[in-house]
Amino acid sequence: MLHGHGDDGYKYKQAIVANFSTNVWYGGQSEDLKNHLISNWDIIDSYPEASAESLIDLIAKDLKVDQEMLIATNGATEAFYLIAQCFKNQSSTIVIPTFSEYEDACRVNNHELFFTNWSDLTATTKFHTRLVWICNPNNPTGSILDPISLESLLDLNQNSTFIVDEAYIDFTDQITSSIDLIKKHKNLIIVKSLTKNFAIPGLRLGYLVSNKEMVQDIEFYKPPWTVNSLAIEAGKYLIEHKSKILPPVNYYKSASKKLQENLNKITGLKIHASKTSYFLIELEEISSFELKNYLISEFGILVRDASNFRGLNSSYIRIATLNEEKNQLLIDALKTWSNLNS
């Protein structure tokens, strides 16, 4: 992990009252899932399925694709490293600012790296690298690439394979998954995470979807048993009960819009528009490091210092919307900061 991540509350001695730094769905903790895993605790006495076969079977039925088009992974991050390893010593373009693990996985596997900004990405962009990495919706900006534009890119760049990370697809109502495009385009790999939308980042669970030939090539590099027994059991439960556990997008986005409107009234902050429940704030006179430490020390509030996203700098923090009570804590804290510095 070369660049690191944002949820670093473990570094601080004081209690975290409100954690805005992680864009995991704050309401996704399922007591029913907890009880289900406890009732299946004895499965850890044996090795897990080598390739999470029972989970793959359930996902395939849910997505209406063949099992041979899927690989279950230890979180989406394992998928990124497997893909980069499969294409070792080749070239990659990463659309930035975005999740750091694409770059980390590529560097470990000796890719020649190129970067292009989200603001420059259009339906007619031409790429000249073997791989193109796109987070859709994007982290940390909340930007989206619509399926029509993605299909145009796939058609225009048939010598490039596109890795589309849909970890946050359930955090927007502006687009839906592009999995159906896989049936028409051999140069598309979609990576899905079950950790953000179902709030189980500690269990590490995800999967990738592509054509059978691509999946076979990538699977060659995958060790057995990387998805543990409890994660497999959790995945099956979540797929079967997803309608009860997935984020209520309309409510979540409404709460985010209200939060953004309130923050936009505070002097010294510039709110960047987002299609998701998380968004960037640009700071006019203070660094992200300074503001983050102030909010922690004075209020026990943790925000995401976004300065370590390639393409951003120390003027940016990222906020993930929480419930109304905690959102108000952040608004009040930032008002206090603004008044002290105005």
Side-chain angles (χ1 to χ4, degrees):
M1 186 165 59
L2 303 179
H3 292 99
H5 299 281
D7 187 2
D8 56 358
Y10 63 90
K11 294 181 179 179
Y12 300 93
K13 293 181 180 179
Q14 64 267 54
I16 304 299
V17 176
N19 185 356
F20 292 88
S21 74
T22 174
N23 38 21
V24 172
W25 160 227
Y26 74 84
Q29 297 84 357
S30 170
E31 194 67 22
D32 289 339
L33 172 61
K34 176 182 174 181
N35 292 332
H36 178 74
L37 293 180
I38 291 172
S39 68
N40 284 275
W41 184 255
D42 289 346
I43 61 177
I44 67 171
D45 292 344
S46 304
Y47 276 90
E49 299 163 1
S51 300
E53 291 88 345
S54 62
L55 175 59
I56 287 294
D57 179 60
L58 196 60
I59 294 172
K61 291 175 181 175
D62 184 59
L63 299 179
K64 297 179 174 58
V65 301
D66 293 335
Q67 295 178 32
E68 294 80 8
M69 296 172 64
L70 293 160
I71 300 175
T73 56
N74 186 275
T77 299
E78 186 192 14
F80 305 142
Y81 278 81
L82 287 172
I83 295 164
Q85 186 177 11
C86 183
F87 290 89
K88 189 168 185 169
N89 299 319
Q90 304 219 26
S91 57
S92 281
T93 297
I94 301 173
V95 184
I96 60 169
T98 198
F99 187 44
S100 63
E101 292 295 345
Y102 314 146
E103 181 177 347
D104 291 355
C106 289
R107 289 195 182 281
V108 167
N109 288 285
N110 198 34
H111 287 219
E112 184 179 10
L113 282 171
F114 300 86
F115 303 93
T116 190
N117 201 286
W118 256 93
S119 59
D120 297 324
L121 182 66
T122 71
T124 58
T125 301
K126 294 296 290 290
F127 294 96
H128 304 284
T129 51
R130 186 65 184 85
L131 299 180
V132 179
W133 302 74
I134 301 175
C135 186
N136 192 35
N138 189 41
N139 171 31
T141 63
S143 307
I144 61 169
L145 180 67
D146 64 89
I148 294 174
S149 297
L150 175 58
E151 186 157 23
S152 173
L153 289 172
L154 293 167
D155 285 331
L156 283 171
N157 298 276
Q158 295 189 28
N159 291 325
S160 296
T161 295
F162 286 72
I163 300 95
V164 177
D165 177 5
E166 291 187 349
Y168 301 99
I169 200 75
D170 293 315
F171 291 77
T172 185
D173 55 3
Q174 301 294 298
I175 55 172
T176 56
S177 176
S178 296
I179 284 176
D180 285 346
L181 293 179
I182 289 172
K183 297 172 184 176
K184 296 192 290 181
H185 299 277
K186 295 290 187 181
N187 59 333
L188 176 61
I189 303 170
I190 290 180
V191 177
K192 306 282 280 187
S193 169
L194 298 181
T195 62
K196 307 294 193 304
N197 50 356
F198 290 117
I200 55 164
L203 276 177
R204 312 306 309 131
L205 188 59
Y207 59 92
L208 66 82
V209 196
S210 191
N211 63 79
K212 295 178 183 180
E213 294 79 9
M214 184 75 75
V215 164
Q216 187 175 33
D217 289 344
I218 296 170
E219 199 163 29
F220 175 81
Y221 296 93
K222 188 181 185 303
W225 308 309
T226 63
V227 182
N228 70 68
S229 298
L230 289 178
I232 292 170
E233 195 61 37
K236 291 190 291 186
Y237 182 90
L238 292 169
I239 296 297
E240 290 173 338
H241 298 85
K242 63 181 180 179
S243 62
K244 297 180 180 179
I245 306 174
L246 283 174
V249 177
N250 290 336
Y251 164 76
Y252 207 7
K253 283 196 68 181
S254 175
S256 183
K257 181 181 179 182
K258 181 180 177 182
L259 174 60
Q260 291 176 54
E261 289 172 348
N262 280 300
L263 293 177
N264 214 26
K265 299 173 185 176
I266 300 174
T267 302
L269 305 179
K270 178 183 177 182
I271 311 303
H272 286 254
S274 167
K275 303 293 187 182
T276 67
S277 54
Y278 53 86
F279 53 93
L280 285 174
I281 299 177
E282 189 172 357
L283 310 173
E284 294 179 1
E285 296 182 358
I286 189 174
S287 73
S288 52
F289 175 79
E290 292 172 307
L291 182 59
K292 176 180 177 178
N293 284 341
Y294 170 79
L295 291 173
I296 278 286
S297 60
E298 297 298 322
F299 301 97
I301 292 174
L302 183 63
V303 299
R304 171 65 152 99
D305 180 349
S307 61
N308 64 347
F309 283 97
R310 183 182 289 276
L312 298 181
N313 56 41
S314 60
S315 297
Y316 291 89
I317 62 173
R318 189 195 67 201
I319 298 298
T321 305
L322 299 180
N323 63 35
E324 187 173 357
E325 179 183 1
K326 290 182 178 179
N327 291 343
Q328 191 61 50
L329 291 176
L330 178 64
I331 293 166
D332 293 342
L334 288 172
K335 282 182 178 178
T336 301
W337 162 78
S338 180
N339 291 334
L340 288 173
N341 291 276
S342 59

